[in-house]
Amino acid sequence: MTRIILILVSLLFLSALLFAPLAVVFASAFENGLGAWFQSFTDSDTGAAIRLTLLTAAIVVPLNTLFGVCAAWCIAKFEFPGKSMLITLIDLPMAVSPVVSGLIYVLLFGAQGWFGAWLQEHDISIIFAVPGIVIATMFVTFPYVARELIPLMQQLGNDEEEAAITLGAGGWFTFFHVTLPRIRWGLLYGVILCNARAMGEFGAVSVVSGHIRGLTNTMPLHIEALYQDYSMSGAFAVASLLSLLAVVTLIIKTLLEWRMGVHHR
Amino acid sequence: MSITLEQVTKRYQGQPVVNDVSLTVAEGEFFVLLGPSGSGKSTLLRAIAGLVDIDDGTIALHGSDVTHVGARQRGVGFVFQHYALFRHLTIADNIEFALRVRRMKAADRRERRKELLKLVALEGMDERLPAQLSGGQQQRVAVARALAHKPQVLLLDEPFGALDAKIREELRWTIRRVQRELGITTVLVTHDQEEAFALADRIGVMNLGRLLEVGAPRDLYARPTTRFVATFLGAANLLLALQGAEGIRLGTTPVDATVRTPALTGREHEVVTVLRPEEVEMAAEREQLTTSYMGRATVEELQFTGALERLRLKLLDNQHAVQTTGNGAEGRIEATRLQSERRAMPLAVGAVVALGARRMHVLPTPLSSFSIHAADEAAAQLLAQAPLLETLAGRMKTRVATCADASDGAPNARPGVAVIEGSDGAALRAVQLLRAGANEVLLLSPSTTLPEQICMFWLDDAARHATMAVTASLLRHLPAEAVCVATAPAGRRDAKRANALRALLDARSEARAAHALETRTELVPGEGPQALGEYLAGLSAPLLVLGTADITTAEAALGALLARRPGMPVLVVYRESAR
């Protein structure tokens, strides 16, 4: 009896807080039919926002993947001074509010910032431009790959890599033929989480972007702009697209979790 | 020589885990490194493979120095405890890995793979994944994989550690057969002495980072030279006996014992003897024994272990003279006997039997036990708790006796190393003990901790050998740096200096050859004990082993040294010069 009540309460909460908003997003998006939904994306500003989001993710995700693998490798395989410091630093973006993360870069690269004068002299714009958005997104999504890989690599140990080396394999050969196949599912999982956050980030990007339509608005920022303009159908259409990406991400994540479970057994 | 290690040292955070190990392994030899966990044996093996960088020393494979060559280029075959198979690759791909790295043609690779799978009796397993194989099969694949590129050296790190007893045995045969067939130089690391006996041409026993003894299994078992090897290789009763001109006696009973080293001095002195459990004879009465009588004992414990019966006996008489060490309890003797012997004379717990020793072996170690000489019992107890003495006695598994001396009279020397407090007048007391018959006197204070350097210095050349033997014995139990010190007057007299230097280097090679003791040498400018005192004052935590053949000079030197650095632990080694 208690079990049934507990399950009911959980389901009620889930539907109220998760399913209902999702349903509203899709219902509102398709309110005026499929045609109107597609119509929303013909707007040039919307197109630009989607392209910018994809571009940001395309730059940020590979870079953070590379960084994550390197950092996880260092932490899992070597002992060095400042190791615990590095682990703490990797976690920093998760602890800091995204707005603060954005502000850091404004303070660094903004017109009144530390490097502001120098950047202006050399005619380089970072804040209120694409580079700022990329940097801020990168900062926020820093930990995802590394966090996923560190425990995995620590658990796997060094034996197989050492075996490969005694068998005559070089560093790259060992990485691609031994290490990478072992960590691939964990890595992919980290990459997907990183991608989801990169596409959906609002706070940090909002601070550094300047909200210039068609230029520095990413999808989340564009949704807000459309909403502020009372362009409900447009806002919900873009929102549904973003939600769709999130749902697909979750499905891949679930599949991966299942795959990793099989792999570990 | 296939593998040559010279003075290899590896430190982790300043602590040596492999300490001054020198070793040669011959072509085609099966060498087993045996030691408890944490003895440094795995680290040494990984150093040979190049997986661990060493801090000092050189490693040569087939005559070429590979100390600074990476693991990849050394090309040895390495088998890990947990197999370390590539889990995502099939057995075929695992075995061919080294060949793919070397860009061998697919057809040749396949041929070699078939050959190897046949060698380890796993034909037809090519397309399986490692997870589909049993532990024993996986380890056989690992052996095949390590042999794929035809390495000249095969290294195995506890290869049977993760397997159960039956498979362990089977795999042992496989590895021995493969090694014989290929004639490949092999080094295997294990903590299991039975495994070492079954596989090895020669065994090297390691403890606390040092390679203690190397030899054929039979020799090491029958004639160990250190306590550690005696007790680690099979079970052993360590008994304290007295060696005199007439031979060895246990208490009042003379016994037959194999003595490899002649008596250390003319005086009767205490020695450590090894009595294997299977060499203990039991009879109802003393008259029925066919071997030397040791004493009567009661059966305390009986254990059935299949082929053998194990007994733990408590000596009834002769108990104080026969001090047993090694199995934790004083006066206890461990014995084993065959089922046929058991049937001939069934015993129950509580039965009283006469014990005989069929064969005993005298360890050449110069340090047997400790006797603390103090003014009263309380002071003796305080001294017994000195960290240095407690650690040393614990690791040597030996007795620390205490005796209160009459404060006015001359002390009576007891067997073993005499221990006194290194306070005022210690030099005089040490000398009194030497005169009274002690061969070694240890001076320390209740707060003496473990030394970082053990320095040896002899006042007379006649005491050189004994000083080295004692130092070597200490170093087997204490992880310290060994320094061989000599003094030579500074300045123009070059000939004298050169002589001193030559003597020092000779001493070093003697220490190495005769005692397997690796030392650093230090030539101190100045004259005798004064210069030595100055040198010792500059060390962080020295222990001095001071050899002498003349009691009078020893007193003066000891007085000067203790005045320069009061409280420093000193072990005086006295040997009458042969006249």
Side-chain angles (χ1 to χ4, degrees), chain B residues 482-503:
Chain B
V483 190
C484 184
V485 190
T487 57
R492 286 161 293 160
R493 277 176 292 176
D494 289 325
K496 206 163 181 182
R497 205 179 157 74
N499 273 341
L501 194 63
R502 192 175 311 129

Side-chain angles (χ1 to χ4, degrees), chain A residues 156 158-171 173-174 177-179 181-182 184 263 265, chain B residues 46 49 51 71-72 75-76 78 80 82 84-89 94 97-98 100-102 145-146 149:
Chain A
L156 287 174
N158 261 349
D159 274 12
E160 289 185 33
E161 279 80 7
E162 285 184 339
I165 291 166
T166 59
L167 293 169
F173 194 94
T174 304
H177 288 86
V178 178
T179 309
R182 297 170 82 199
R184 58 189 163 183
H263 195 68
R265 220 169 290 142
Chain B
R46 294 165 66 81
L51 293 171
R72 192 185 166 197
V76 301
F78 200 101
F80 295 79
H82 298 288
L85 293 178
F86 306 129
R87 272 171 282 183
H88 60 284
L89 298 179
N94 262 284
F97 190 88
R100 262 174 58 212
V101 169
R102 287 168 177 75
R145 182 182 68 176
H149 56 296

Side-chain angles (χ1 to χ4, degrees), chain A residues 197-263:
Chain A
R197 183 72 196 264
M199 285 186 169
E201 177 55 28
F202 181 87
V205 173
S206 172
V207 176
V208 294
S209 102
H211 305 271
I212 307 164
R213 282 196 189 196
L215 280 180
T216 63
N217 259 6
T218 58
M219 276 164 83
L221 299 183
H222 191 61
I223 292 168
E224 202 218 4
L226 286 173
Y227 183 76
Q228 305 278 355
D229 290 350
Y230 301 105
S231 167
M232 288 301 167
S233 64
F236 275 111
V238 183
S240 69
L241 185 66
L242 205 55
S243 307
L244 207 62
L245 282 173
V247 170
V248 169
T249 305
L250 279 177
I251 290 171
I252 299 176
K253 176 179 160 275
T254 313
L255 281 176
L256 280 180
E257 273 172 351
W258 173 76
R259 188 70 187 78
M260 275 161 81
V262 170
H263 195 68

Side-chain angles (χ1 to χ4, degrees), chain A:
Chain A
M1 190 62 197
T2 349
R3 204 177 60 160
I4 295 170
I5 292 173
L6 275 175
I7 292 172
L8 277 178
V9 169
S10 320
L11 278 178
L12 211 68
F13 253 86
L14 271 177
S15 26
L17 290 170
L18 290 173
F19 297 143
L22 208 61
V24 167
V25 166
F26 283 102
S28 311
F30 295 104
E31 210 172 27
N32 303 323
L34 212 58
W37 191 73
F38 279 113
Q39 193 65 41
S40 319
F41 296 108
T42 52
D43 176 39
S44 71
D45 288 351
T46 306
I50 294 173
R51 276 195 299 278
L52 180 58
T53 298
L54 291 179
L55 174 75
T56 308
I59 297 172
V60 166
V61 172
L63 281 178
N64 270 345
T65 303
L66 195 68
F67 163 79
V69 171
C70 292
W73 186 281
C74 285
I75 287 167
K77 313 275 171 178
F78 305 117
E79 287 301 323
F80 53 89
K83 182 166 154 171
S84 55
M85 184 79 172
L86 183 62
I87 297 175
T88 315
L89 271 180
I90 287 174
D91 278 345
L92 190 68
M94 287 217 180
V96 171
S97 158
V99 179
V100 178
S101 316
L103 277 174
I104 296 168
Y105 291 104
V106 174
L107 286 174
L108 277 177
F109 304 122
Q112 264 72 50
W114 287 5
F115 303 109
W118 187 87
L119 288 169
Q120 259 173 359
E121 255 172 53
H122 293 78
D123 202 22
I124 302 168
S125 47
I126 290 181
I127 299 303
F128 306 143
V130 176
I133 294 170
V134 170
I135 292 172
T137 310
M138 207 141 104
F139 178 82
V140 171
T141 57
F142 230 35
Y144 288 91
V145 174
R147 270 280 123 194
E148 196 55 44
L149 289 184
I150 290 167
L152 179 65
M153 283 168 109
Q154 277 172 337
Q155 179 214 328
L156 287 174
N158 261 349
D159 274 12
E160 289 185 33
E161 279 80 7
E162 285 184 339
I165 291 166
T166 59
L167 293 169
W172 290 115
F173 194 94
T174 304
F175 179 76
F176 284 109
H177 288 86
V178 178
T179 309
L180 204 55
R182 297 170 82 199
I183 62 167
R184 58 189 163 183
W185 300 116
L187 180 63
L188 210 57
Y189 186 83
V191 166
I192 282 171
L193 286 183
C194 178
N195 184 58
R197 183 72 196 264
M199 285 186 169
E201 177 55 28
F202 181 87
V205 173
S206 172
V207 176
V208 294
S209 102
H211 305 271
I212 307 164
R213 282 196 189 196
L215 280 180
T216 63
N217 259 6
T218 58
M219 276 164 83
L221 299 183
H222 191 61
I223 292 168
E224 202 218 4
L226 286 173
Y227 183 76
Q228 305 278 355
D229 290 350
Y230 301 105
S231 167
M232 288 301 167
S233 64
F236 275 111
V238 183
S240 69
L241 185 66
L242 205 55
S243 307
L244 207 62
L245 282 173
V247 170
V248 169
T249 305
L250 279 177
I251 290 171
I252 299 176
K253 176 179 160 275
T254 313
L255 281 176
L256 280 180
E257 273 172 351
W258 173 76
R259 188 70 187 78
M260 275 161 81
V262 170
H263 195 68
H264 273 289
R265 220 169 290 142

Side-chain angles (χ1 to χ4, degrees), chain B residues 284-299:
Chain B
E285 295 299 330
R286 180 173 182 172
E287 289 69 35
Q288 292 167 298
L289 286 173
T290 56
T291 52
S292 346
Y293 172 71
M294 286 199 303
R296 288 178 339 116
T298 48
V299 179

Side-chain angles (χ1 to χ4, degrees), chain B residues 311-328:
Chain B
L311 302 100
R312 176 169 277 216
L313 305 138
K314 184 173 169 43
L315 281 167
L316 292 173
D317 41 324
N318 223 350
Q319 193 176 345
H320 296 289
V322 184
Q323 287 282 352
T324 57
T325 62
N327 40 24

